[in-house]
Amino acid sequence: MVRRNRPCFVLRSGRLSEHRGPSVPTVSEATPVGRRRRPSGEPPPLPRDIHASTKWYVLALVVTAASTIAMVARPFFVGATDVDLAVLRAVERIRVSGLTTVMQRVNELGTSWVVQGLAWLTIAVLVVYRRFRYLAVYLLTLVAGTFGAFLLSRAIGRMRPTDVPILAGWEGYAYPARPVVAFSLVTVGAVYALVPSGTWRPRIKPIAAAAVGALVLARLYLAVDHPTDILAALAIGWAAPVVAFRWAAPEEAFPVTYHRGPHAHLDIGNRRRDAIITALNHQLGLTVVRIEPFGLTGSAGSTPLRLTVTRPDGTSLDLFAKLYALSHLRSDRWYKWGRTIAYGRLEDEKPFSTVRRLAEYEDHMLRLFRDVGMPSPAPFGFAEITPEREYVIVMEFFDGAMEIGAADIDAPVIDDALATVRRLWDAGVAHRDIKPSNLLVRDDRALLIDVAFATVRPTPWRQAVDLANMMLTLALSSSPEMVYERALLQFDPDDIAEAFAASHSITIPTQLRARLRDDGRGLLTAFRKLAPERARIPVQVWSIRRVAVTAGALVLVALGVGLAVAYVQLAGLL
Amino acid sequence: MTPASRTRAFIAIVLMPFIALSISGCAEVEGAAPRCDEARRLAVVAQSVPGAAYIPCLRDLRPGWSASDFDPQSGGTHFSLVSDRDPDHEIAIEFRAACDVAGATATTPRADGARTYLQLRSISPRYAGTLMDVFSGGCVSYRFDFARGPHIGLIDDFENQVGLLARRELALTLRTSYDVELGP
């Protein structure tokens, strides 16, 4: 059961006219039951997963920090050394010549060339696969761990074991055991940065643990370090990077994958799928019977989904949904910073502060577009999956609609598409991302999707650019002459001249720019010839913000290079 | 605290040591050799050359002098001294089991039971060479290269700043204070 949106009045060429929005089902008509407020104290649909082991790792770090401070005090130092030497004496009793040779070979795992080789291999893979977040965490843990161990060793100044013959070479103070720190850091870092969780990580982790364990046993056997030196080293080299990776690059938000295409998509596994179903039922009253990824290749800013919900009469309805998570928030932030640096203050490029704000904004825009009668997806609201981390926004699914490039278009479709720009202007809104993939056609109606970039009360040139991008998109499937002729029915020639005077390569979405290049007809030039002559409109503005963001980016790059250089310099400390 | 601000806090915490290091102008990682009264730190120097009768250590540094590049390891220990009067020419100090004193001239011993040798490579325009303290089980060499003229004061300075601590004295301190046997 569907109903038509109530009519609304829009200004067209100075005259009020009636416009009817798209036919959409209401939320209550989709599924009226299921809504439920989450009581205080009840976990959200997908509680943030804090590994039980993370707490133990944090505890190990705290204990190590406390022990290190206590080491400065003579009684603790003496006590720890007594226990350490007792252990080493016990180990000494099992020494045999053949085993000693083996342990001396195993001890080479902690040598600089093994550690450096593993570290640079990991860095190379992370660079090749452009996993810069993991790279940053990896480099930071590597440098911080190595440098931290170096500082600790200077602060404590502990001697090597006495009373027991040392059977291998050593360098520097004993506490913490720096070769163990270095080997653990690169091994754990490689496991968490390179190995996908799920099937592979549980298999690889024991191998990494065995390698580190072998090095630990070898160093105890050879009496190069005290047991407490090694425990402190494991806290710095193993516990600290695990906590850092789980905190700064949580697997649920930044999964390690090696498939092609955008990396921003989240895995809709059983746990998340169940959480989405529960959230949509409790918060939006939707009874979801199927969730499937949809159009992943066309979206890097969210994880797009197609939902199938059942209505009270037993029939089903398809809906479109976008799953927003921290990774998408950060993608949006980098994208906007990039635009600010590259293009200056084109318009509002301030990033969103939280995932909730991102979902709220798009939901608001969907409702605004509906209210002004735009042919855009009807909003169904958004639901919270994990507070402040994951939200899913639901909207109408345009079943049977085709991308404009795949459809034959004629005058009615062109008129309808141009009318959407007219309506945007009248409502004081700019879509800001008009391109072939965001303009669908169904039953001779043009449908405008993806309103996430839309803005209210935009700059005048930004509104003009919406018209230019719409005309260019339409001309790809027809001719510039035809589109220009139809545009004159709804816009003044001066409006069209302004649109193409404001149109620069930076104002044209990447996909549209690529299609124009492939088309080869010089559509932008053709439109400029058809429209009255007008001087180009400057759209890039230098601002303090642009200078500051550019300077900040340069500092970040310098910091990244500095980290790599610092690691090379610190290699001598490993 | 939002996840974003937590991440920023994490990055700030991790970066703090580097920022502090950069601000303090100590981007190059260095470390000073232990002072003669720091028995606990000196033990590792003694362990680097088992059996050496004396251990090199720092007395009070005179104004304008700094110590760096402390690197103890099995087989020997290295550190440097540099004066702001000749910052480009540091004195490299090596503690090893033995030194080659061939061609060196014996000079006034710096410690009981030790012999001191001077091996000059150049007298003018620069006064450069190696001073060596040789003792039972070990040797400390001081490789210097000073401008002629100021060299007298500089040599006097570094000879007074680097002390030789008797191993048995260090072993006694470690035994009484830390209940640790230094070993041979």
Side-chain angles (χ1 to χ4, degrees):
Chain A
M1 180 179 169
V2 296
R3 72 171 174 84
R4 311 247 346 146
N5 274 5
R6 67 182 171 78
C8 59
F9 292 92
V10 294
L11 194 64
R12 176 181 295 176
S13 301
R15 298 187 310 274
L16 277 174
S17 63
E18 185 180 301
H19 167 74
R20 286 185 180 274
S23 303
V24 292
T26 63
V27 171
S28 59
E29 287 162 349
T31 47
V33 293
R35 285 178 189 265
R36 172 179 173 273
R37 189 185 76 85
R38 177 162 64 93
S40 300
E42 185 177 297
L46 186 64
R48 193 181 173 198
D49 184 22
I50 297 177
H51 255 271
S53 60
T54 305
K55 293 169 188 167
W56 289 107
Y57 285 133
V58 171
L59 183 65
L61 285 170
V62 171
V63 169
T64 303
S67 309
T68 303
I69 293 167
M71 272 285 193
V72 178
R74 200 187 69 83
F76 189 88
F77 183 89
V78 171
T81 305
D82 282 348
V83 175
D84 281 341
L85 293 178
V87 173
L88 290 177
R89 282 189 209 103
V91 174
E92 186 194 9
R93 284 196 281 276
I94 62 165
R95 281 179 175 174
V96 287
S97 66
L99 187 57
T100 300
T101 309
V102 172
M103 288 301 186
Q104 282 168 334
R105 291 285 169 272
V106 173
N107 187 39
E108 288 175 10
L109 283 174
T111 52
S112 182
W113 64 269
V114 174
V115 171
Q116 293 280 293
L118 195 51
W120 287 114
L121 186 68
T122 306
I123 289 167
V125 173
L126 291 174
V127 169
V128 167
Y129 282 92
R130 302 176 63 196
R131 266 206 287 280
F132 296 116
R133 183 173 193 83
Y134 276 96
L135 179 63
V137 178
Y138 185 70
L139 278 175
L140 281 170
T141 54
L142 230 51
V143 175
T146 309
F147 192 62
F150 173 76
L151 290 180
L152 275 186
S153 75
R154 293 284 159 143
I156 302 301
R158 193 181 199 188
M159 69 196 79
R160 294 284 156 179
T162 55
D163 280 358
V164 183
I166 300 174
L167 301 182
W170 52 267
E171 191 173 345
Y173 292 118
Y175 184 97
R178 284 187 287 152
V180 177
V181 171
F183 185 65
S184 302
L185 278 172
V186 294
T187 308
V188 174
V191 168
Y192 277 83
L194 301 183
V195 184
S197 65
T199 309
W200 283 103
R201 196 175 292 172
R203 290 179 186 171
I204 299 293
K205 222 191 277 186
I207 298 172
V212 173
L215 177 64
V216 164
L217 287 177
R219 292 186 74 83
L220 286 177
Y221 178 90
L222 300 169
V224 191
D225 305 308
H226 302 93
T228 46
D229 303 338
I230 286 171
L231 287 175
L234 289 175
I236 298 169
W238 190 286
V242 170
V243 173
F245 273 100
R246 286 180 181 170
W247 191 18
E251 181 66 28
E252 65 270 20
F254 306 97
V256 177
T257 55
Y258 289 92
H259 63 73
R260 290 178 181 277
H263 290 165
H265 300 137
L266 299 177
D267 177 38
I268 309 297
N270 288 338
R271 198 160 162 260
R272 184 173 273 122
R273 182 186 301 268
D274 292 346
I276 292 172
I277 290 171
T278 303
L280 293 178
N281 186 243
H282 288 179
Q283 296 168 43
L284 300 183
L286 297 173
T287 306
V288 179
V289 293
R290 194 174 62 175
I291 301 176
E292 58 182 356
F294 177 80
L296 292 178
T297 52
S299 168
S302 64
T303 302
L305 305 167
R306 179 155 69 179
L307 313 176
T308 304
V309 300
T310 54
R311 292 191 251 197
D313 63 3
T315 58
S316 63
L317 172 73
D318 280 349
L319 296 175
F320 182 70
K322 287 179 177 181
L323 181 60
Y324 280 122
L326 270 181
S327 52
H328 305 121
L329 179 75
R330 283 169 186 147
S331 296
D332 174 74
R333 186 175 300 160
W334 285 112
Y335 173 77
K336 285 178 173 168
W337 279 357
R339 280 177 66 87
T340 301
I341 292 168
Y343 307 140
R345 187 163 56 82
L346 290 179
E347 64 258 307
D348 177 21
E349 294 287 8
K350 286 188 179 147
F352 291 99
S353 57
T354 63
V355 185
R356 181 200 296 273
R357 294 261 185 278
L358 194 61
E360 275 177 350
Y361 186 80
E362 183 161 358
D363 186 57
H364 168 72
M365 280 300 158
L366 283 169
R367 290 170 193 276
L368 180 70
F369 271 55
R370 177 197 59 192
D371 291 350
V372 298
M374 292 299 299
S376 54
F380 277 66
F382 69 93
E384 181 182 76
I385 309 299
T386 307
E388 301 301 341
R389 300 184 80 86
E390 283 188 38
Y391 292 84
V392 63
I393 182 167
V394 186
M395 62 198 83
E396 181 186 5
F397 182 79
F398 286 140
D399 207 5
M402 283 189 292
E403 191 183 297
I404 188 115
D408 293 328
I409 64 166
D410 49 15
V413 174
I414 294 172
D415 289 347
D416 198 45
L418 291 169
T420 61
V421 178
R422 180 84 253 172
R423 227 168 283 142
L424 285 170
W425 285 17
D426 295 341
V429 178
H431 183 278
R432 302 204 298 177
D433 198 23
I434 294 177
K435 59 186 180 183
S437 63
N438 284 344
L439 189 61
L440 309 183
V441 177
R442 185 176 66 184
D443 301 332
D444 281 348
R445 291 293 312 270
L447 307 166
L448 200 54
I449 62 170
D450 201 355
V451 301
F453 287 106
T455 191
V456 185
R457 302 294 160 218
T459 53
W461 68 261
R462 183 73 258 188
Q463 288 181 297
V465 162
D466 266 358
L467 174 60
N469 288 340
M470 179 62 86
M471 291 178 71
L472 289 166
T473 301
L474 294 170
L476 282 169
S477 303
S478 57
S479 69
E481 291 77 14
M482 183 182 185
V483 173
Y484 184 77
E485 185 186 319
R486 304 307 302 179
L488 286 175
L489 299 175
Q490 301 190 54
F491 297 93
D492 292 336
D494 286 345
D495 290 336
I496 301 172
E498 182 191 345
F500 288 100
S503 194
H504 303 258
S505 65
I506 58 167
T507 64
I508 302 173
T510 308
Q511 187 208 29
L512 177 55
R513 209 160 53 226
R515 296 273 178 97
L516 291 172
R517 197 168 46 242
D518 295 344
D519 180 80
R521 283 182 288 167
L523 295 179
L524 187 59
T525 310
F527 276 123
R528 283 193 178 131
K529 281 182 183 165
L530 289 167
E533 198 170 322
R534 169 154 186 175
R536 299 287 288 273
I537 298 170
V539 298
Q540 285 174 280
V541 180
W542 275 98
S543 64
I544 292 173
R545 177 179 163 76
R546 185 182 183 185
V547 173
V549 172
T550 306
L554 289 174
V555 168
L556 273 180
V557 170
L559 193 64
V561 174
L563 278 176
V565 171
Y567 182 63
V568 171
Q569 285 188 339
L570 286 169
L573 306 177
L574 293 171
Chain B
M1 201 178 203
T2 64
S5 56
R6 270 201 296 272
T7 304
R8 277 195 291 271
F10 165 74
I11 291 170
I13 290 165
V14 172
L15 290 183
M16 216 175 289
F18 308 104
I19 294 165
L21 201 69
S22 306
I23 291 170
S24 65
C26 301
E28 191 180 336
V29 177
E30 293 178 343
R35 292 159 46 90
C36 295
D37 56 0
E38 292 179 310
R40 203 165 100 173
R41 292 172 191 280
L42 265 180
V44 81
V45 182
Q47 287 178 304
S48 71
V49 184
Y54 285 98
I55 317 298
C57 55
L58 287 181
R59 296 196 186 110
D60 285 337
L61 286 180
R62 292 183 177 178
W65 284 86
S66 58
S68 61
D69 297 342
F70 176 58
D71 181 20
Q73 52 184 284
S74 49
T77 295
H78 167 94
F79 62 98
S80 305
L81 280 177
V82 67
S83 165
D84 60 1
R85 281 172 281 169
D86 197 354
D88 295 333
H89 295 88
E90 61 182 25
I91 302 165
I93 296 149
E94 299 280 348
F95 177 39
R96 293 278 178 267
C99 291
D100 180 9
V101 296
T105 308
T107 181
T108 312
R110 298 203 323 125
D112 291 342
R115 282 158 291 150
T116 302
Y117 296 89
L118 180 62
Q119 193 174 48
L120 288 175
R121 294 194 309 278
S122 156
I123 293 174
S124 184
R126 296 191 66 82
Y127 189 76
T130 307
L131 187 72
M132 288 170 279
D133 288 323
V134 182
F135 39 79
S136 172
C139 162
V140 183
S141 65
Y142 314 80
R143 192 177 172 85
F144 57 84
D145 183 353
F146 296 132
R148 183 94 189 154
H151 73 279
I152 298 171
L154 290 168
I155 286 177
D156 180 59
D157 276 0
F158 88 71
E159 282 190 6
N160 282 294
Q161 289 175 135
V162 181
L164 294 175
L165 182 69
R167 188 181 196 90
R168 62 174 183 280
E169 193 180 329
L170 176 64
L172 181 65
T173 308
L174 288 171
R175 189 182 307 123
T176 52
S177 299
Y178 296 103
D179 198 21
V180 167
E181 289 298 332
L182 181 58

